[in-house]
Every structure is written in structure tokens, then in C-alpha cells.
Amino acid sequence: MKSTTTAKSTIKPSSTKTSKTTKVIPTSTTPKKTNTTAPRVNTLKAFTVDQRTSMIAEAAYYIAEKANFNPDLSLACWLEAEREIDSKILEN
């Protein structure tokens, strides 16, 4: 009887060392800022209601003048003047 020999191949495992390095990205250690400022409405108390209304009326006049005193825009002019005056009050 003929004997046959089979060649066994040995598979070598790949290198156990990896060439890739894992980067660790540090997370922020500072806590997120929370809104600790006082509400804006409180800062409007620096002026009386009459003073604020007077400033808004004057600003609304100049805004309406730029709009050729269009009666359809009177409310829009007043609201824009309120935003302008309130933002200026809050800046101080």
C-alpha cells in the first residue's frame, strides 16, 4: 500500500502587537454654564412707567416719520420703538 503524506501547513498568527493607537479624547471637566442672570424685566424698573412710555413715544415718532406716517404701520412703529428702548435700557 502506498502511503500518502499530506503536508500540513501551519498558519502563524499575526503579530499580537497592533500598530493602531487609541486616542483618548478628554471630556470637558468644566460644568455647563447655567443661566444665572436675573430676568430682564427686573432691570426695566430703573425707569418709571411714564418715563419709559415717553421714550417709546418719541422713538416711535421718528420711526413713523421714516415710514411717511403710514397709519397702517403705526402699531409696527410702536413695537419697534419698544424693542429699541428696552434694549437700550438693558444695555445700561
Side-chain angles (χ1 to χ4, degrees), residues 5-36:
T5 57
T6 57
K8 291 185 178 178
S9 63
T10 57
I11 302 173
K12 292 183 181 179
S14 63
S15 174
T16 56
K17 294 182 181 177
T18 59
S19 62
K20 293 182 182 177
T21 58
T22 305
K23 291 184 179 180
V24 177
I25 301 172
T27 57
S28 176
T29 57
T30 58
K32 291 184 178 181
K33 292 183 180 179
T34 56
N35 188 4
T36 58

